[in-house]
Amino acid sequence: MAAAVAAAPWAEALVGRSGGVAGDVGRRRLRAAVAWLLAMAPAVFCLAPALHSGAPPAAFSPAPPPPSSRSGATGSEGMQRRSATVGALLAGFALGSEAVAPLPASANIDGIPDLSNLRTGRERYVTKIVAGYNELKTAGTIEDEWLKKKMPKMSKAMDLWGALMRQDLAPDKIMRHCQKNAVAFEKAAKTKDYDATMKAFDAYLEGLPAMGRGGSGKIDFSNPLMPPPN
């Protein structure tokens, strides 16, 4: 460590080259300060990743100080106490940063569903809507197994997809209309009237907006993950 301090020519420049006792004392103090800063550098670099990521840092264990030029353990003990104090302060700062949680990457800052929200909605909800519809259309009738297993998931997905159609922070008439059509579809399906169920589903599709804050709410049955081509 003494070699590292001696290799810093700017240390002498800061103190100056005035002779006498005052100059010697100043140089000794500067060397001691630089040695302490260099001793603390490993602790700061260890805590840097935690400060950047917001994760709690690992338990801080200060590196042992460099051998003191003084006889006895007084200098070593003082260095250890100062290192532990600075380490505790840095760890407390890192932990305190957790109080401010970052916004989710996919959230719109004003709370209105945006393009990212609709992209996620197509993965979670539209795929279930399309799967349920295709199975119903292939059967050509409402079967008990579809009514029991597929229809609840399909109608729930229709409701949640409709909720993403709102153009305001609070539920609006577009969202309510879409969710109302989803409820009408579920009621028609429970009657096991195939034609009425298909008609209710067509009404639901018709009520989805073609354009909004997050883009089109329409469904492309050939590619559920993307809006229909213009």
Side-chain angles (χ1 to χ4, degrees), residues 2-215:
V5 176
W10 48 266
E12 294 289 346
L14 288 175
V15 176
R17 296 185 178 276
S18 59
V21 177
D24 292 339
V25 172
R27 281 190 288 272
R28 284 197 298 270
R29 289 180 177 176
L30 180 58
R31 288 193 185 99
V34 173
W36 183 83
L37 289 174
L38 292 175
M40 288 305 303
V44 174
F45 283 117
C46 289
L47 286 172
L51 292 173
H52 178 72
S53 64
F60 178 78
S61 178
S68 175
S69 59
R70 300 178 183 179
S71 59
T74 304
S76 177
E77 291 175 354
M79 183 67 73
Q80 287 179 346
R81 285 195 297 269
R82 289 191 292 270
S83 299
T85 301
V86 174
L89 290 174
L90 291 173
F93 176 80
L95 290 172
S97 65
E98 288 186 320
V100 181
L103 289 173
S106 62
N108 192 347
I109 194 169
D110 59 6
I112 302 175
D114 59 7
L115 182 62
S116 178
N117 298 128
L118 263 66
R119 185 184 299 114
T120 302
R122 290 186 183 278
E123 296 174 357
R124 294 180 179 177
Y125 311 135
V126 176
T127 52
K128 292 183 176 65
I129 295 172
V130 171
Y133 169 78
N134 287 338
E135 187 170 329
L136 176 63
K137 187 176 180 180
T138 300
T141 185
I142 298 180
E143 299 176 344
D144 291 336
E145 185 176 359
W146 179 89
L147 189 63
K148 182 179 179 180
K149 295 182 179 180
K150 292 290 184 178
M151 192 277 294
K153 295 180 181 179
M154 180 179 176
S155 63
K156 182 65 174 179
M158 292 168 64
D159 178 79
L160 293 173
W161 181 245
L164 289 176
M165 299 299 105
R166 69 181 189 275
Q167 306 299 312
D168 200 350
L169 179 61
D172 57 11
K173 62 180 182 180
I174 299 176
M175 170 181 168
R176 293 191 182 96
H177 180 69
C178 293
Q179 291 183 319
K180 182 180 178 180
N181 287 339
V183 172
F185 167 79
E186 182 176 357
K187 289 181 178 179
K190 289 181 178 179
T191 65
K192 302 186 73 172
D193 186 330
Y194 177 81
D195 292 335
T197 301
M198 296 298 286
K199 184 177 180 180
F201 185 72
D202 288 340
Y204 173 82
L205 296 178
E206 185 67 24
L208 295 173
M211 185 56 64
R213 286 284 297 271

